[in-house]
Amino acid sequence: MSLRAPTRAGRATAPLGLRPLARLLVDAAAGRPHDAPDELFAEDLGRVLAAGVLHRVTPAMARSLAAADAPDPWLAGLGAARHAQTLRHLRAVEDLKVTGAALDAAGIPWAVAKGPVLASVVWPSPDMREYYDLDLFVDAARFEEAIRVVLSTGGEQLDRNWPELRRSMRAEIAMTARHGTHLDLHWHVAVPERLRRQFPVDMAGMLRRARPVTIAPGVTMPTFDPVDTVHHVAFHAAQDGANRLMWLADVRYAVQDPGFDWDELARRAAAARTTVPVALVLDRAVRTVGLELPHGTSFDRARRGAWGSLARRRDRDHPFPGLPGDDRLGGNVYGAARPGTAASAACLLAYTLRARRVGRQHRARGTDGSPERPLQRDVADVTARAEYFARLAPGPGG
């Protein structure tokens, strides 16, 4: 484990050797006050704010520097980001109330994950975690009906390219809720079809085990149970490269729930074949935000294996957390983690080749600064739409 410098209270702080801005990011994500060194305030404020957005901890940076003698522009810029997140959270809660009530009225089992739940229930304060969307999960067999329900509340469907949806069989459709919050409606936590074949997550069980939580005064919503919450956020982090401090802090805070159990997490991860990717995320959280991982678990063994060693070596060569302008921020080693070194290596090679191909296509096509979003082309193919939903009828478990 990294050498850590003690604070005045004797508790760990950010790992030694980090760049000043990176140390601030880590302390912010871990919910610690930051004794800012003088060299930190030599940083360009624009780069500081960009780093906060990169790791989705800009509001937490404002809290971390609250007791520091920061320059006025810093306090104003970070304070504005914190205020903006508070407003986004309030709007998301209102959209969740409207959408959730409509799903309940239709008798559709559902659960909300990440965003407002992690901000309100898991993190120390709802103005720390920076998020921009809602993630709602429903049973696959009710997915078509759930889309209609969201639309009936004044929402809008963004992904409308039905031939592409049918081809990819993605387990989510992008929408917006009534008040404008981006809403990803899911029927599975593994969005690409290939991931569902590789990682057989018990989606029906996750919805069945959902529990109510209070995300605002008088607002109670269903979300995944404490073990499924940790499993979900760690698996999601791995698939996206585990390259944002927010995701590692999600895990650190979520394991503190009184209902969380390490042995049950190990059982569910083994059943879903997610032990290796989850272990790598846990290991990075241990090394950065102070997660305490018990010894002797399957995760402890997996993170010390060949692929875990490769991830740690990559982190030594390219220090985490990354900052704007750094090379290799993608985290493909984490996203490629599979049950077995050979399978992980093959996946990493495929990711590398795909990234190069996409890069060549991007350079050949040119860009106006707006990424192409094929799923949001309006292609109303009735046959493709019917075939997409027909594939969901048996449920996500197959």
Side-chain angles (χ1 to χ4, degrees), residues 248-277:
L248 304 181
D250 286 343
V251 176
R252 176 181 183 252
Y253 293 128
V255 301
Q256 297 172 10
D257 189 295
F260 174 72
D261 182 85
W262 283 106
D263 291 334
E264 183 60 25
L265 176 64
R267 283 191 288 270
R268 294 181 193 178
R273 306 184 74 228
T274 60
T275 301
V276 175

Side-chain angles (χ1 to χ4, degrees), residues 183-224:
L183 188 158
D184 286 328
L185 190 66
H186 298 252
W187 52 267
H188 205 281
V189 295
V191 175
E193 188 173 27
R194 59 179 170 76
L195 281 185
R196 297 193 294 278
R197 293 193 299 266
Q198 295 167 335
F199 300 110
V201 176
D202 180 14
M203 199 66 228
M206 291 178 69
L207 287 170
R208 187 173 58 251
R209 292 187 291 265
R211 40 125 188 194
V213 293
T214 300
I215 64 171
V219 182
T220 301
M221 298 290 170
T223 192
F224 299 138

Side-chain angles (χ1 to χ4, degrees), residues 115-195:
V117 172
L118 295 177
S120 294
V121 180
V122 173
W123 281 55
S125 175
D127 66 347
M128 289 179 66
R129 188 184 190 274
E130 190 169 346
Y131 72 93
Y132 295 85
D133 56 13
L134 290 171
D135 287 272
L136 299 189
F137 293 80
V138 301
D139 182 81
R142 307 289 297 275
F143 192 61
E144 183 176 15
E145 184 182 357
I147 293 172
R148 291 197 297 268
V149 168
V150 176
L151 294 175
S152 74
T153 65
E156 179 183 358
Q157 184 174 335
L158 301 180
D159 289 345
R160 296 169 293 173
N161 186 341
W162 288 106
E164 179 61 20
L165 286 165
R166 169 61 184 86
R167 184 198 65 78
S168 64
M169 286 308 299
R170 287 173 57 82
E172 74 173 13
I173 284 184
M175 309 186 73
T176 56
R178 175 190 290 181
H179 301 298
T181 306
H182 184 96
L183 188 158
D184 286 328
L185 190 66
H186 298 252
W187 52 267
H188 205 281
V189 295
V191 175
E193 188 173 27
R194 59 179 170 76
L195 281 185

Side-chain angles (χ1 to χ4, degrees), residues 118 122 206 211 223-234 254:
L118 295 177
V122 173
M206 291 178 69
R211 40 125 188 194
T223 192
F224 299 138
D225 79 7
V227 175
D228 284 331
T229 292
V230 174
H231 190 198
H232 176 220
V233 297

